[in-house]
Amino acid sequence: MQVVKKTKSALFKLRLLALSFLHAAFSASLASESCVCCGKKSFFMPVCHECAKKYLLGFFPPGNGRCKLCGKILLVGNDLCSSCREKRLLCHADSVFPLWPYRLWMKGLLFEWKMGENRSISPLFAECVEKAIEALYPGRGRGDIPLVPVPPRPGKLKNKGWDQIEELCSIIHHRYKRPILRLLKRVSSQQLMKLDRMGGLLIGCSSYKVNAKKLKKAAKNGSLPLEALLLDDVMTTGATVEACAAVLKGVGIRKVQVITLFIVD
């Protein structure tokens, strides 16, 4: 029985991998040839090489000029943005580092990738995340702090064959040799980004749970860390990263920092 289960699991993973390649090839064949930023030919990428180098790979670094809690770019020289000064938005997540603001053509870029399933940009996003991790942890080894992906809604991998955050983590793991800990699972399909902050926090608390099998395995082989880095695509109200960080701290992880590609500010 155990052999049958393992065989089925291996076949399912192979099916997902095959679907992943097919989706990538299909999205590349249908992708817009124009850059969403400047409109120039971009050769099957939604953003051209010049704009990617200037605006994506040259993201605003952590530290000075950013809110030390939520990561928003500051207009004046304070440690915290006005929102975090008035009322702390994040309690369980120790800090958030968003790479880019969710504005103007950036909205189109995220839509092309996430909703349009144009996966040709996934390796570029993975490279940007890797650079962000290196900026956050200068001098630290790549195996020191594991990356924890925010999990997809139930059934997404089976129905669509891919998830954008899972794909990023897979690329980062294989290309940059960073450990991935899939300690979280999502038990609700409701989208938190469509709720206000209070509603998102209330729903979020019951939307994410610890993956008991992964936790048991990590505890058994001694790979459960004291510090972890949570990865998501966009932060709107902060409800998702808060809920996930609370779960991670509940199993003994003492520090949870967050990287998101975009932030709605």
Side-chain angles (χ1 to χ4, degrees):
M1 182 63 70
Q2 192 69 21
V3 174
V4 173
K5 287 183 177 180
K6 287 184 177 180
T7 302
K8 287 184 177 179
S9 176
L11 289 173
F12 180 69
K13 290 179 180 178
L14 285 173
R15 176 175 173 268
L16 287 181
L17 185 61
L19 285 173
S20 175
F21 280 114
L22 287 173
H23 273 289
F26 185 70
S27 63
S29 67
L30 296 181
S32 171
E33 294 183 358
S34 298
C35 174
V36 294
C37 179
C38 68
K40 294 179 181 178
K41 294 291 184 180
S42 54
F43 302 101
F44 304 110
M45 287 276 285
V47 62
C48 69
H49 175 75
E50 290 77 12
C51 289
K53 184 177 180 181
K54 183 177 181 180
Y55 298 112
L56 300 182
L57 289 169
F59 58 82
F60 202 76
N64 294 335
R66 282 184 178 269
C67 175
K68 68 178 184 181
L69 186 58
C70 73
K72 290 180 181 178
I73 296 175
L74 300 172
L75 299 178
V76 293
N78 296 310
D79 289 335
L80 298 174
C81 67
S82 58
S83 299
C84 291
R85 287 200 307 271
E86 292 171 8
K87 185 178 181 181
R88 180 164 178 154
L89 300 177
L90 302 171
C91 298
H92 297 96
D94 292 283
S95 64
V96 179
F97 178 39
L99 273 61
W100 313 292
Y102 185 62
R103 303 174 191 162
L104 303 174
W105 62 271
M106 292 284 191
K107 293 183 178 181
L109 184 63
L110 180 61
F111 183 86
E112 280 276 344
W113 181 57
K114 185 175 180 178
M115 307 305 294
E117 299 187 22
N118 184 350
R119 298 161 68 176
S120 61
I121 200 171
S122 295
L124 176 60
F125 279 164
E127 181 182 356
C128 293
V129 171
E130 173 62 23
K131 287 181 177 293
I133 298 173
E134 291 174 353
L136 278 175
Y137 302 103
R140 298 285 291 270
R142 287 181 173 175
D144 290 349
I145 301 172
L147 204 58
V148 179
V150 171
R153 63 183 180 273
K156 182 180 179 181
L157 281 174
K158 185 176 181 179
N159 295 331
K160 300 190 72 172
W162 88 297
D163 172 68
Q164 68 276 7
I165 298 302
E166 179 62 31
E167 180 157 285
L168 279 189
C169 286
S170 296
I171 295 172
I172 291 169
H173 174 66
H174 289 99
R175 180 175 291 183
Y176 304 107
K177 309 305 179 185
R178 290 198 179 273
I180 309 298
L181 270 182
R182 295 172 176 84
L183 287 177
L184 300 170
K185 66 178 180 179
R186 186 171 173 177
V187 294
S188 170
S189 296
Q190 186 166 0
Q191 291 184 311
L192 304 187
M193 64 182 297
K194 293 184 178 180
L195 304 173
D196 59 22
R197 175 167 173 77
M198 187 55 66
L201 288 172
L202 290 174
I203 299 298
C205 291
S206 58
S207 294
Y208 296 92
K209 303 291 184 183
V210 67
N211 188 321
K213 291 183 179 179
K214 300 291 186 181
L215 177 63
K216 184 178 180 180
K217 182 178 179 180
K220 185 177 181 180
N221 60 26
S223 61
L224 186 66
L226 296 178
E227 185 174 355
L229 185 59
L230 189 67
L231 178 64
D232 202 4
D233 54 3
V234 59
M235 187 174 88
T236 305
T237 64
T240 296
V241 297
E242 263 293 275
C244 292
V247 173
L248 294 177
K249 288 195 169 180
V251 299
I253 296 176
R254 296 178 184 176
K255 186 174 182 179
V256 178
Q257 296 203 92
V258 183
I259 284 184
T260 67
L261 297 181
F262 299 93
I263 184 171
V264 177
D265 60 355

